[in-house]
Amino acid sequence: MPIKIDENKKGEFELFNWRPSRIEFENGEMQMPIITPIGLGQNTTKNMNKSTKKIIENQLRQTLSQLRTLKNMKTSDKNEWNRLFPTQKFIEKYHNFVLITCFVPLKQQILQFCAFVERKLRVQLMQFDQIMDNDIEYSHISAEKIVTNGKCPPERKEQNQTIKSHFCKSWLVGIRLKSGEHLEDNSQQNLSAELTEYINYILSNELDAKIMAEYKEKVLKQCYQPIKLESKLLGTDELERW
């Protein structure tokens, strides 16, 4: 899937341009091998959607800008490279997040219910992006789990006293908003109360409800388990408590 990140500038990064001549092709030189899986279903592009495309485009544009800065500096100082390519934490990339958490009473159920939730998140987040297309540019799920040992933080357990949820697993999703009236100060930080309420409504009735319904149909099959799935919109200041 070709992604255009900028106009090609003559004389810039000539070493990185792929423009072999006809003679080089005829002599078997300068050939670019393209390795693809036998099964099309194994091709990673099947996971591409609007959000992942936006994430890749933004990162490529940012990197190109950094490379141009480094090229103009004409330096080999490693400290300059470190400044150009800083290590940025996931929570520093966004101002608004969706915290998705599955609650279970037994640790063994993390491998059952929470693993089921994790397998369904990609598709459900794609649908979430489609529903929220007018307000959200893209969503980005973090590769790191907030809770790694399975035990719920005290704050999370206090909010879910209706079930004895001693164990849980959480996923963090950063969201990039489109500019519009729903931003109180035209920034990414302050959402209007109306949009916040609407996003939480969609998360509860689309993402949470649909995953739970599918789990009950395919796994529980009329059996009962005191489990829960909760998705909630959080700002950076609220996220610090979790």
Side-chain angles (χ1 to χ4, degrees):
M1 179 182 292
I3 296 177
K4 182 178 180 180
I5 56 176
D6 201 359
E7 297 293 338
N8 184 34
K9 297 183 179 180
K10 187 176 180 180
E12 183 180 42
F13 304 123
E14 289 293 335
L15 291 176
F16 301 106
N17 288 341
W18 181 255
R19 293 184 297 181
S21 66
R22 180 179 59 83
I23 297 177
E24 289 171 328
F25 266 126
E26 291 176 352
N27 294 336
E29 301 174 358
M30 296 291 289
Q31 293 185 2
M32 178 184 288
I34 300 177
I35 303 173
T36 59
I38 296 176
L40 295 179
Q42 296 174 324
N43 196 316
T44 188
T45 54
K46 74 171 186 176
N47 296 321
M48 289 290 292
N49 54 49
K50 185 194 75 171
S51 288
T52 51
K53 180 175 179 290
K54 285 282 187 181
I55 294 167
I56 293 173
E57 284 180 340
N58 290 345
Q59 188 60 54
L60 287 174
R61 289 192 179 100
Q62 180 182 349
T63 302
L64 178 60
S65 175
Q66 292 168 329
L67 286 173
R68 282 173 172 163
T69 302
L70 185 66
K71 181 174 179 288
N72 294 332
M73 290 168 53
K74 297 180 180 179
T75 178
S76 59
D77 188 353
K78 291 184 178 180
N79 292 328
E80 299 297 341
W81 280 93
N82 292 334
R83 280 195 287 270
L84 284 172
F85 300 100
T87 301
Q88 189 178 24
K89 295 181 180 179
F90 183 81
I91 59 175
E92 296 173 347
K93 297 180 180 180
Y94 303 95
H95 294 290
N96 295 283
F97 302 87
V98 173
L99 183 65
I100 305 171
T101 307
C102 65
F103 299 91
V104 293
L106 302 175
K107 191 172 184 179
Q108 298 90 319
Q109 291 173 326
I110 291 181
L111 298 176
Q112 185 182 32
F113 175 56
C114 296
F116 180 90
V117 171
E118 188 166 23
R119 291 194 298 270
K120 301 299 176 181
L121 281 182
R122 183 179 66 86
V123 174
Q124 291 301 326
L125 285 173
M126 286 175 57
Q127 295 181 3
F128 172 75
D129 288 343
Q130 292 174 358
I131 295 173
M132 301 299 303
D133 185 61
N134 292 332
D135 301 304
I136 293 180
E137 185 176 355
Y138 64 85
S139 61
H140 182 189
I141 187 167
S142 173
E144 299 179 359
K145 310 297 184 300
I146 295 180
V147 182
T148 56
N149 60 2
K151 293 183 179 179
C152 284
E155 297 85 354
R156 302 251 70 190
K157 289 195 291 186
E158 289 175 2
Q159 291 187 348
N160 291 275
Q161 295 180 356
T162 54
I163 61 173
K164 296 181 179 179
S165 52
H166 300 295
F167 302 94
C168 62
K169 188 174 184 179
S170 297
W171 300 266
L172 189 64
V173 181
I175 58 175
R176 176 73 63 185
L177 299 168
K178 293 181 178 179
S179 299
E181 297 178 355
H182 54 262
L183 300 178
E184 292 185 349
D185 54 2
N186 202 29
S187 72
Q188 289 284 324
Q189 299 186 26
N190 299 319
L191 277 70
S192 65
E194 182 180 358
L195 179 60
T196 300
E197 182 179 355
Y198 180 62
I199 291 177
N200 282 325
Y201 173 82
I202 295 299
L203 290 171
S204 176
N205 291 274
E206 291 292 331
L207 192 147
D208 294 346
K210 288 186 175 180
I211 293 179
M212 285 294 298
E214 187 175 356
Y215 183 76
K216 290 178 180 178
E217 178 185 356
K218 294 183 177 180
V219 181
L220 293 183
K221 298 179 179 179
Q222 297 183 348
C223 295
Y224 172 76
Q225 286 183 355
I227 56 177
K228 183 179 180 181
L229 179 63
E230 180 187 72
S231 301
K232 184 179 181 181
L233 181 68
L234 298 175
T236 305
D237 53 342
E238 297 175 286
L239 187 64
E240 294 177 355
R241 292 182 296 172
W242 311 116

